[in-house]
Amino acid sequence: MRKYSVIWMLIVLCSCGGADANFKRGEKFLALGEYFDAANEYKQAYTKTPPKERPLRGQRARKLAYCYEHSNQTQKAIAAYRNVIRYKQDDVQTHLSFARLLLKNGNYKEAAAEFRLVIDSLPDNVLARNGLKSAQMAPEWKKEGSGYTVKRMDMFNSRRSDYSPMFCGDDNEQLYFTSTRNEAQGDDLSGITGNKNGDIFFSQKDDKGKWGKPQTIESGLNTEFDEGACCFSPDQRTMYVTQCASDPSYPRYATIMTSNRSDAAWSKATLLEISRDTLSSYAHPAISPDEQWLYFTSDMPGGVGGLDIWRIRLTSSGLGGVENLGEPINTPGNEMFPAFRPNGDFYFSSDGHPGFGGLDIFYVKAENKKRTQKGNAGNPAGNTSETDGAEPVTRSSQLRIVHPGYPLNSQGDDFGMTFEGLHNRGFFSSNRGDGRGNDHIYSFENPEIMQTVKGWVYEIDAYELTAAQVYMVGNDGTNLKLSVKGDGSFEQEITPGVDYVFLATCKGFLNHKEELRVTESKESKEHVLQFPLANISAPVLIDNIFYDLNKATLRPESAKALDELVKMLNENPNITIELSAHCDYRGSAQYNLSLSQRRAESVVNYLIEHGIAKDRLTPRGYGKEKPKVINKKLTEKYPWLKENDQLTEEFIRKLENNQQEVCNELNRRTEFTVLRTTYGLFDEKGQLKTIPKPKVSKQKEEDDSFIIDF
């Protein structure tokens, strides 16, 4: 009997020794932030600790619960916290963490009891009070629902984590996201999550609107490290991406990197140094719609608690100062994954505000707007409605935080919004219903009755002008400066009952103005505007000008094009133009010269009759002296022509008969060329006249916006 007792003691001693070794390895992993690996070691240490050593088992269960919690293994964390309590090693923080996990797991009744325990000791604890409200109200909020429809998008998802989708492309034809799927670079598993490190993948939409299979990015962007949430600059030439490097001997923190796109390839990412504080994390970048701020998540000192949302100013000379968004957006919990809807509404995820548990999505409206929206969302965060609004980027206690309700939010983690244009639809990520805690991409939509304007700015008879600016002014006080996308387009929400003026400008081109009156509508409507800008330094074709055969008489169908020319001259009152008419090579030179001169004079007479000053117009007939020079745009329509081809008689006669006729038609044209841009600016003595300055809005001076006085 004595022999067996000795053997048992030796087994216990060996187990204790092994447990201590596991515990020390767990401590090492935890110091590096590698929660998954630490949990495995703590579990071994806990299992090897004899049951009679109750305090030690409880202490090791606490370590295990903490690591399970931070590696998103919710149910295992709940079980571990139960052991902490069972072995009487619990404190107030234990019950708070336990309650928050129960909430995330949907155990609302038990969570409420745990939150009450915390409040008994800490009556002013924000997380406990908000948690109790969540546990009490979540079933009712879920029953109430909202106007959102949500669908899991399996064409993007894998058996691992796929999260933080982000639209890219002028027509939102690409979707970028992070994935830990097998195709991600590297072979090692992350000590933080137990999965492979994430890489950035993308899916391409085809001409029929169908999303393709996710593709890897064949460039230096992805590494063996963990690439996370990303966003894009407005011109979509720069990617801001979260990256978390690893080091076997030193804790590494998330950083924000930038990658530049050349053609279709993304460059190797380089560090964006937000602060010289290397002991804080910087993640989840988002660019504000006005392009002036980079928003991000950080645990840097000076925050409200946990992870907070911060912002840093983007200037032409680099990064400006850093600001914490403060309360009420940030809480003692975690606020993460900032995102913007194009209309300026600010979205983020939080586990500190009242919600369903885990990370819930919240938003703050950019400004007061009246929009009819189908459905009535629950609002656990604040007593406001879908039409309440506020400016999201100020540190103000007056901000109204809106909870979009179920099913956009769930008891799991819901985060990472991206919007398809101005409409309230797009994609987000969630780990709802996944027992392993993996994230997956979902679509969302909440139909709204809204009116929008979409415009295109381009050079007459040529391509889009991506450097253009569009000024939008409404009689309700609207005063916006809009940038155009890579295809020369812009989109903006508009309000029924408002008169709008849009002025498109671009250096080297004449201005173009459009007016729009918006009436009420019972369904969504998109208003389309065109802004063809005339080049100041090159001849501009006046399309659709027609004359009677061998005559200078303008045909009635020319009126529309000529009226547009009148409008353009009125919008640009300081220019003078040469109005030129051209013929093809057929006929005598003298006849063509005379005919083209009379045709140019006919156009000038029309302009004068419609109010344009005679001294702003110079008619000139060139006959066949100036053959058409082919621009790049025409080569798309006529592939047999090359850029800079000159349609001389010699060139045309070498072509096939049908091609010759096309070239002769191109030569028969009416154009105008800007001669001066200073008409009416000087007095009789040659002195510059005093020109009324545009009215400057003091409120908008900082961003160079101004009210256009038409």
Side-chain angles (χ1 to χ4, degrees), residues 565-667:
L565 183 56
V566 170
K567 178 183 174 184
M568 185 273 295
L569 290 166
N570 284 327
E571 290 171 356
N572 297 271
N574 301 121
I575 68 166
T576 65
I577 64 170
E578 176 187 274
L579 201 295
S580 59
H582 304 263
C583 299
D584 58 40
Y585 68 84
R586 293 172 294 191
S588 69
Q590 186 59 43
Y591 175 81
N592 284 337
L593 203 60
S594 173
L595 178 62
S596 61
Q597 179 65 31
R598 287 185 286 117
R599 286 180 169 178
E601 290 171 354
S602 292
V603 175
V604 165
N605 290 336
Y606 184 97
L607 300 178
I608 293 172
E609 290 170 4
H610 287 75
I612 304 301
K614 183 178 180 180
D615 58 349
R616 295 180 62 193
L617 308 169
T618 301
R620 180 72 185 272
Y622 285 98
K624 61 179 182 180
E625 294 177 5
K626 288 192 173 184
K628 176 78 173 179
V629 177
I630 299 301
N631 60 28
K632 186 176 181 180
K633 187 74 173 177
L634 280 173
T635 64
E636 297 176 3
K637 186 175 182 180
Y638 307 111
W640 43 273
L641 290 173
K642 296 179 181 179
E643 188 176 5
N644 296 322
D645 278 348
Q646 191 173 22
L647 304 185
T648 61
E649 180 178 353
E650 180 183 6
F651 177 89
I652 294 174
R653 288 187 179 278
K654 295 178 182 178
L655 301 175
E656 297 177 4
N657 289 339
N658 61 325
Q659 295 174 345
Q660 288 188 29
E661 185 51 43
V662 168
C663 291
N664 286 328
E665 185 178 335
L666 291 173
N667 271 333

Side-chain angles (χ1 to χ4, degrees), residues 41 76 88 142 193 217 246 342 378 385 388 573 626 653 664:
E41 295 296 334
K76 290 183 178 181
K88 301 186 184 305
K142 185 173 182 179
T193 65
I217 295 178
S246 58
S385 69
D388 287 335
K626 288 192 173 184
R653 288 187 179 278
N664 286 328

Side-chain angles (χ1 to χ4, degrees), residues 369-390:
K369 291 183 180 179
K370 295 295 179 182
R371 271 196 308 234
T372 303
Q373 183 161 316
K374 297 179 182 177
N376 225 351
N379 184 18
N383 298 317
T384 182
S385 69
E386 288 281 349
T387 57
D388 287 335

Side-chain angles (χ1 to χ4, degrees), residues 241-255:
V241 60
T242 307
Q243 185 184 89
C244 188
S246 58
D247 190 315
S249 60
Y250 187 78
R252 298 299 295 268
Y253 301 90
T255 57

Side-chain angles (χ1 to χ4, degrees), residues 10-149:
L10 288 172
I11 291 172
V12 170
L13 288 172
C14 291
S15 298
C16 291
D20 289 341
N22 288 123
F23 186 81
K24 288 179 180 178
R25 285 195 291 271
E27 292 285 271
K28 181 180 178 181
F29 285 129
L30 181 59
L32 296 174
E34 296 179 346
Y35 302 110
F36 185 87
D37 287 348
N40 287 336
E41 295 296 334
Y42 287 135
K43 181 181 178 181
Q44 293 294 319
Y46 175 83
T47 303
K48 294 176 182 178
T49 303
K52 65 180 182 180
E53 296 190 33
R54 295 176 65 85
L56 186 57
R57 278 177 71 90
Q59 293 162 16
R60 289 177 174 174
R62 185 204 299 274
K63 291 280 190 177
L64 182 57
Y66 180 84
C67 291
Y68 279 148
E69 180 181 359
H70 284 75
S71 58
N72 222 17
Q73 301 180 75
T74 302
Q75 294 186 12
K76 290 183 178 181
I78 288 173
Y81 274 121
R82 291 191 192 279
N83 285 329
V84 176
I85 297 169
R86 178 160 66 101
Y87 289 120
K88 301 186 184 305
Q89 297 301 305
D90 53 312
D91 55 17
V92 174
Q93 183 58 48
T94 300
H95 288 277
L96 179 59
S97 298
F98 183 43
R100 283 161 62 80
L101 286 166
L102 290 169
L103 187 69
K104 184 175 181 179
N105 204 47
N107 301 356
Y108 294 128
K109 186 175 181 180
E110 188 178 1
E114 291 294 327
F115 282 124
R116 289 191 186 97
L117 282 177
V118 177
I119 293 172
D120 285 344
S121 299
L122 302 172
D124 297 326
N125 187 283
V126 173
L127 295 181
R129 300 192 73 84
N130 285 349
L132 179 59
K133 180 180 179 181
S134 300
Q136 293 172 330
M137 297 300 297
E140 183 178 329
W141 290 332
K142 185 173 182 179
K143 185 178 179 181
E144 181 181 346
S146 70
Y148 284 90
T149 56

